Amino acid sequence: MRPTGEVGFVEWERARRRLWRACALVVLASSTGCAASSPSVLHAKGPAERQVTGLWWSMLAVSVVVIVFVVVMGGWGVVKTRRRREEDIHRDVPWGDRFILISGIGITGAILVAFFLVSLRSMATLARARPSSVEITITGHDWWWEARYPNGAVTANEIHIPAGERVQINLRSADVIHSLWVPELAPKIDLIPGRENEMWIQANQPGQYRGQCAEFCGLQHAHMIFFVIADTPADFNTWMQDMAAPALAPATPIAVQGQQVFLSNTCIGCHSIRGTSANGQLGPDLTHMATRATIGAGTLPLTPQTLTQWILAPEQIKPGVTMPPTSLTPDEVRALVTYLLSLGFKS
Ligand code: CUA
């Protein structure tokens, strides 16, 4: 209730202004947050997501019609009641029961059943197996993504696909439940330990599409980011061949030293570098790691500085990560970083 008296009024005004400021901040923060870099489910860039977007818009349109109808009827009822005399209020409305039955149960039920049927049709379309130009197996790990291609190429957190083609994705989990979600390309599908799920994905145009784990999977769930990179079919084939090739041999003395550091330390317990004796399977394959744009599954851009920080103290960048810190000397770390950043493609 609005207080009376001068002191009460001043306090009330202050509180009111604070509330307005807080509301404005929330609106500003949410709008700028959404605009910054979050992909939107409403900007469909492929046929699978278009199915979902179409359904969403039709649900929104019908909901708006229903809400407007309910508000208008409610308002109309209030106005009519105010104008009536006391004895009129309790008078029976002859069509009242029929109206409640038809609009409240009949039309509402029909809308819900219609949306249920349309949703079933969309789900069937999305689940139907179709001929696919390439089949990728994606495994979710705490907290990164592994992608394996039919020709032996293995990579992490950057999943290349040919643009304009339907791509079959097989989904597995190495530990807990994760959920693969590329808002602009496809609805989210869970990766469940002990079972294999399937989905298909298609990007109409070449480009980079951000994805995110959409099922809470532990401390670094929010840093389980990935990118789907749609290349032209020719570029994709070149990429897949390059990615399947063994690692480049170190070309400089410092890179040779870096390779020795890698192969003689605990790195090889978790990481593979194809073409060397490093054959660990717990962490990301590093055969061509210099071709990737980020480390820690989208946590930081890949640069000599961030890679150095990551090797020295991964826990400080991504608390909870299973990679242990190292006790290498500064020279060894420098050589190791030089070697890892030389692991590009041949061409
Ligand atoms: Cu994986 Cu959340």
Side-chain angles (χ1 to χ4, degrees), residues 293-331:
T294 70
I295 47 171
T299 306
L300 286 175
L302 177 59
T303 66
Q305 290 76 29
T306 57
L307 185 56
T308 305
Q309 285 169 23
W310 180 262
I311 290 170
L312 289 174
E315 175 78 22
Q316 277 179 15
I317 294 172
K318 204 166 176 178
V321 71
T322 43
M323 179 163 151
T326 63
S327 51
L328 301 173
T329 66
D331 276 351

Short mmCIF file of all heavy atoms in Angstrom, two decimals, residues 293-331:
data_model
loop_
_atom_site.label_atom_id
_atom_site.label_comp_id
_atom_site.label_asym_id
_atom_site.label_seq_id
_atom_site.Cartn_x
_atom_site.Cartn_y
_atom_site.Cartn_z
N ALA A 293 40.60 -24.21 -33.21
CA ALA A 293 40.60 -22.79 -32.83
C ALA A 293 40.59 -22.57 -31.33
O ALA A 293 40.95 -21.50 -30.86
CB ALA A 293 39.38 -22.10 -33.46
N THR A 294 40.17 -23.59 -30.57
CA THR A 294 40.07 -23.38 -29.12
C THR A 294 40.70 -24.56 -28.37
O THR A 294 40.95 -25.61 -28.94
CB THR A 294 38.59 -23.27 -28.66
OG1 THR A 294 37.96 -24.54 -28.78
CG2 THR A 294 37.83 -22.23 -29.45
N ILE A 295 40.92 -24.35 -27.08
CA ILE A 295 41.28 -25.48 -26.20
C ILE A 295 40.27 -25.54 -25.06
O ILE A 295 39.59 -24.56 -24.76
CB ILE A 295 42.71 -25.36 -25.60
CG1 ILE A 295 42.94 -23.96 -25.04
CG2 ILE A 295 43.75 -25.77 -26.58
CD1 ILE A 295 44.23 -23.87 -24.25
N GLY A 296 40.20 -26.71 -24.43
CA GLY A 296 39.27 -26.89 -23.32
C GLY A 296 37.83 -26.86 -23.80
O GLY A 296 36.96 -26.36 -23.09
N ALA A 297 37.56 -27.39 -25.00
CA ALA A 297 36.20 -27.42 -25.57
C ALA A 297 35.56 -26.04 -25.58
O ALA A 297 34.52 -25.80 -24.97
CB ALA A 297 35.32 -28.42 -24.82
N GLY A 298 36.23 -25.11 -26.26
CA GLY A 298 35.66 -23.78 -26.43
C GLY A 298 35.91 -22.86 -25.25
O GLY A 298 35.41 -21.74 -25.23
N THR A 299 36.70 -23.30 -24.27
CA THR A 299 36.92 -22.47 -23.08
C THR A 299 37.81 -21.26 -23.40
O THR A 299 37.54 -20.15 -22.95
CB THR A 299 37.56 -23.30 -21.95
OG1 THR A 299 36.74 -24.46 -21.74
CG2 THR A 299 37.66 -22.52 -20.66
N LEU A 300 38.90 -21.49 -24.17
CA LEU A 300 39.82 -20.40 -24.51
C LEU A 300 40.24 -20.53 -25.97
O LEU A 300 40.27 -21.65 -26.51
CB LEU A 300 41.09 -20.50 -23.65
CG LEU A 300 41.01 -20.11 -22.18
CD1 LEU A 300 42.34 -20.40 -21.51
CD2 LEU A 300 40.65 -18.64 -22.04
N PRO A 301 40.58 -19.40 -26.61
CA PRO A 301 41.15 -19.52 -27.96
C PRO A 301 42.51 -20.18 -27.88
O PRO A 301 43.21 -20.03 -26.88
CB PRO A 301 41.26 -18.06 -28.43
CG PRO A 301 41.23 -17.24 -27.18
CD PRO A 301 40.46 -18.02 -26.15
N LEU A 302 42.87 -20.94 -28.90
CA LEU A 302 44.17 -21.63 -28.88
C LEU A 302 45.28 -20.67 -29.32
O LEU A 302 45.32 -20.25 -30.47
CB LEU A 302 44.12 -22.85 -29.81
CG LEU A 302 45.43 -23.64 -29.95
CD1 LEU A 302 45.91 -24.17 -28.61
CD2 LEU A 302 45.28 -24.78 -30.94
N THR A 303 46.15 -20.31 -28.37
CA THR A 303 47.32 -19.47 -28.67
C THR A 303 48.50 -20.06 -27.89
O THR A 303 48.28 -20.86 -26.97
CB THR A 303 47.12 -18.01 -28.20
OG1 THR A 303 47.05 -18.01 -26.77
CG2 THR A 303 45.85 -17.38 -28.74
N PRO A 304 49.73 -19.66 -28.20
CA PRO A 304 50.86 -20.17 -27.42
C PRO A 304 50.69 -19.87 -25.92
O PRO A 304 51.01 -20.69 -25.07
CB PRO A 304 52.06 -19.41 -27.99
CG PRO A 304 51.65 -19.05 -29.38
CD PRO A 304 50.17 -18.84 -29.34
N GLN A 305 50.13 -18.68 -25.59
CA GLN A 305 49.97 -18.32 -24.18
C GLN A 305 48.93 -19.20 -23.49
O GLN A 305 49.18 -19.72 -22.39
CB GLN A 305 49.54 -16.84 -24.04
CG GLN A 305 50.59 -15.83 -24.42
CD GLN A 305 50.77 -15.72 -25.94
OE1 GLN A 305 49.83 -15.95 -26.72
NE2 GLN A 305 51.98 -15.39 -26.38
N THR A 306 47.76 -19.35 -24.14
CA THR A 306 46.71 -20.13 -23.47
C THR A 306 47.11 -21.60 -23.37
O THR A 306 46.81 -22.26 -22.37
CB THR A 306 45.36 -20.01 -24.21
OG1 THR A 306 45.54 -20.45 -25.56
CG2 THR A 306 44.81 -18.61 -24.18
N LEU A 307 47.83 -22.10 -24.38
CA LEU A 307 48.24 -23.50 -24.33
C LEU A 307 49.27 -23.71 -23.20
O LEU A 307 49.22 -24.71 -22.48
CB LEU A 307 48.82 -23.93 -25.69
CG LEU A 307 49.19 -25.40 -25.82
CD1 LEU A 307 48.02 -26.31 -25.51
CD2 LEU A 307 49.73 -25.71 -27.22
N THR A 308 50.15 -22.72 -23.03
CA THR A 308 51.12 -22.80 -21.93
C THR A 308 50.41 -22.83 -20.57
O THR A 308 50.70 -23.67 -19.73
CB THR A 308 52.08 -21.59 -21.99
OG1 THR A 308 52.67 -21.56 -23.29
CG2 THR A 308 53.18 -21.69 -20.94
N GLN A 309 49.45 -21.89 -20.42
CA GLN A 309 48.68 -21.86 -19.16
C GLN A 309 47.97 -23.19 -18.94
O GLN A 309 47.91 -23.72 -17.83
CB GLN A 309 47.59 -20.79 -19.23
CG GLN A 309 48.04 -19.38 -19.09
CD GLN A 309 46.89 -18.41 -19.45
OE1 GLN A 309 45.71 -18.76 -19.39
NE2 GLN A 309 47.24 -17.22 -19.85
N TRP A 310 47.40 -23.71 -20.02
CA TRP A 310 46.63 -24.95 -19.92
C TRP A 310 47.52 -26.12 -19.48
O TRP A 310 47.14 -26.90 -18.62
CB TRP A 310 45.97 -25.24 -21.28
CG TRP A 310 45.15 -26.50 -21.30
CD1 TRP A 310 45.54 -27.73 -21.75
CD2 TRP A 310 43.82 -26.66 -20.83
NE1 TRP A 310 44.54 -28.64 -21.59
CE2 TRP A 310 43.46 -28.01 -21.01
CE3 TRP A 310 42.87 -25.80 -20.25
CZ2 TRP A 310 42.22 -28.52 -20.66
CZ3 TRP A 310 41.63 -26.31 -19.91
CH2 TRP A 310 41.32 -27.65 -20.11
N ILE A 311 48.72 -26.20 -20.07
CA ILE A 311 49.62 -27.31 -19.72
C ILE A 311 50.10 -27.19 -18.28
O ILE A 311 50.16 -28.17 -17.55
CB ILE A 311 50.82 -27.35 -20.71
CG1 ILE A 311 50.33 -27.77 -22.09
CG2 ILE A 311 51.91 -28.29 -20.21
CD1 ILE A 311 51.36 -27.61 -23.19
N LEU A 312 50.39 -25.94 -17.86
CA LEU A 312 50.91 -25.76 -16.50
C LEU A 312 49.85 -25.99 -15.43
O LEU A 312 50.12 -26.64 -14.43
CB LEU A 312 51.50 -24.35 -16.36
CG LEU A 312 52.81 -24.11 -17.11
CD1 LEU A 312 53.22 -22.66 -17.03
CD2 LEU A 312 53.92 -25.02 -16.56
N ALA A 313 48.66 -25.46 -15.65
CA ALA A 313 47.63 -25.55 -14.59
C ALA A 313 46.23 -25.60 -15.21
O ALA A 313 45.49 -24.62 -15.14
CB ALA A 313 47.76 -24.37 -13.65
N PRO A 314 45.87 -26.73 -15.81
CA PRO A 314 44.54 -26.81 -16.44
C PRO A 314 43.40 -26.58 -15.44
O PRO A 314 42.37 -26.02 -15.80
CB PRO A 314 44.49 -28.23 -17.01
CG PRO A 314 45.62 -28.98 -16.38
CD PRO A 314 46.62 -27.97 -15.95
N GLU A 315 43.62 -26.97 -14.20
CA GLU A 315 42.60 -26.85 -13.16
C GLU A 315 42.22 -25.37 -12.93
O GLU A 315 41.09 -25.07 -12.58
CB GLU A 315 43.15 -27.49 -11.88
CG GLU A 315 42.30 -27.36 -10.65
CD GLU A 315 41.12 -28.32 -10.62
OE1 GLU A 315 41.18 -29.36 -11.31
OE2 GLU A 315 40.15 -28.03 -9.91
N GLN A 316 43.19 -24.47 -13.15
CA GLN A 316 42.88 -23.05 -12.94
C GLN A 316 41.98 -22.51 -14.04
O GLN A 316 41.21 -21.59 -13.85
CB GLN A 316 44.17 -22.24 -12.92
CG GLN A 316 44.82 -22.27 -11.56
CD GLN A 316 46.11 -21.49 -11.54
OE1 GLN A 316 46.41 -20.71 -12.43
NE2 GLN A 316 46.91 -21.73 -10.52
N ILE A 317 42.08 -23.11 -15.24
CA ILE A 317 41.25 -22.64 -16.36
C ILE A 317 39.91 -23.35 -16.35
O ILE A 317 38.87 -22.74 -16.61
CB ILE A 317 41.99 -22.90 -17.69
CG1 ILE A 317 43.25 -22.02 -17.74
CG2 ILE A 317 41.10 -22.61 -18.88
CD1 ILE A 317 44.16 -22.32 -18.90
N LYS A 318 39.92 -24.64 -16.03
CA LYS A 318 38.70 -25.42 -16.09
C LYS A 318 38.62 -26.30 -14.84
O LYS A 318 38.94 -27.49 -14.88
CB LYS A 318 38.74 -26.27 -17.38
CG LYS A 318 37.39 -26.69 -17.89
CD LYS A 318 37.48 -27.22 -19.31
CE LYS A 318 36.13 -27.73 -19.77
NZ LYS A 318 36.13 -28.22 -21.13
N PRO A 319 38.20 -25.71 -13.71
CA PRO A 319 38.18 -26.48 -12.46
C PRO A 319 37.40 -27.78 -12.61
O PRO A 319 36.32 -27.80 -13.20
CB PRO A 319 37.47 -25.53 -11.48
CG PRO A 319 37.72 -24.18 -12.03
CD PRO A 319 37.73 -24.33 -13.53
N GLY A 320 38.00 -28.86 -12.10
CA GLY A 320 37.34 -30.17 -12.18
C GLY A 320 37.85 -31.02 -13.32
O GLY A 320 37.57 -32.21 -13.39
N VAL A 321 38.63 -30.40 -14.23
CA VAL A 321 39.13 -31.14 -15.40
C VAL A 321 40.03 -32.29 -14.93
O VAL A 321 40.73 -32.18 -13.91
CB VAL A 321 39.87 -30.17 -16.35
CG1 VAL A 321 41.19 -29.70 -15.77
CG2 VAL A 321 40.09 -30.79 -17.71
N THR A 322 40.01 -33.41 -15.68
CA THR A 322 40.77 -34.59 -15.22
C THR A 322 42.25 -34.49 -15.59
O THR A 322 43.06 -35.27 -15.10
CB THR A 322 40.19 -35.88 -15.82
OG1 THR A 322 39.90 -35.64 -17.18
CG2 THR A 322 38.94 -36.30 -15.08
N MET A 323 42.63 -33.54 -16.44
CA MET A 323 44.04 -33.41 -16.81
C MET A 323 44.84 -32.86 -15.62
O MET A 323 44.50 -31.81 -15.08
CB MET A 323 44.19 -32.48 -18.01
CG MET A 323 45.62 -32.28 -18.44
SD MET A 323 45.72 -31.61 -20.11
CE MET A 323 47.25 -30.72 -20.00
N PRO A 324 45.90 -33.58 -15.21
CA PRO A 324 46.67 -33.11 -14.05
C PRO A 324 47.63 -31.99 -14.45
O PRO A 324 47.98 -31.86 -15.63
CB PRO A 324 47.45 -34.36 -13.62
CG PRO A 324 47.59 -35.17 -14.87
CD PRO A 324 46.41 -34.85 -15.75
N PRO A 325 48.07 -31.17 -13.48
CA PRO A 325 49.09 -30.16 -13.80
C PRO A 325 50.42 -30.84 -14.07
O PRO A 325 50.61 -32.00 -13.70
CB PRO A 325 49.14 -29.30 -12.53
CG PRO A 325 48.63 -30.18 -11.46
CD PRO A 325 47.69 -31.17 -12.08
N THR A 326 51.36 -30.13 -14.70
CA THR A 326 52.64 -30.76 -15.00
C THR A 326 53.73 -30.12 -14.14
O THR A 326 53.56 -29.02 -13.61
CB THR A 326 53.05 -30.54 -16.47
OG1 THR A 326 53.20 -29.15 -16.65
CG2 THR A 326 52.02 -31.07 -17.42
N SER A 327 54.84 -30.85 -14.06
CA SER A 327 55.96 -30.28 -13.31
C SER A 327 57.15 -30.11 -14.27
O SER A 327 58.29 -30.36 -13.90
CB SER A 327 56.33 -31.21 -12.16
OG SER A 327 56.49 -32.52 -12.67
N LEU A 328 56.86 -29.72 -15.51
CA LEU A 328 57.93 -29.55 -16.49
C LEU A 328 58.67 -28.24 -16.24
O LEU A 328 58.12 -27.31 -15.65
CB LEU A 328 57.32 -29.53 -17.90
CG LEU A 328 56.52 -30.77 -18.32
CD1 LEU A 328 55.85 -30.53 -19.67
CD2 LEU A 328 57.43 -31.98 -18.40
N THR A 329 59.91 -28.19 -16.73
CA THR A 329 60.67 -26.94 -16.62
C THR A 329 60.14 -25.96 -17.67
O THR A 329 59.51 -26.39 -18.65
CB THR A 329 62.16 -27.19 -16.88
OG1 THR A 329 62.29 -27.59 -18.26
CG2 THR A 329 62.73 -28.28 -15.99
N PRO A 330 60.39 -24.65 -17.48
CA PRO A 330 59.92 -23.67 -18.47
C PRO A 330 60.41 -24.00 -19.88
O PRO A 330 59.66 -23.84 -20.86
CB PRO A 330 60.52 -22.36 -17.96
CG PRO A 330 60.65 -22.56 -16.49
CD PRO A 330 60.97 -24.01 -16.29
N ASP A 331 61.67 -24.47 -20.03
CA ASP A 331 62.19 -24.82 -21.36
C ASP A 331 61.42 -25.98 -21.97
O ASP A 331 61.11 -25.99 -23.17
CB ASP A 331 63.68 -25.21 -21.27
CG ASP A 331 64.56 -23.97 -21.30
OD1 ASP A 331 64.00 -22.88 -21.56
OD2 ASP A 331 65.78 -24.11 -21.04
#
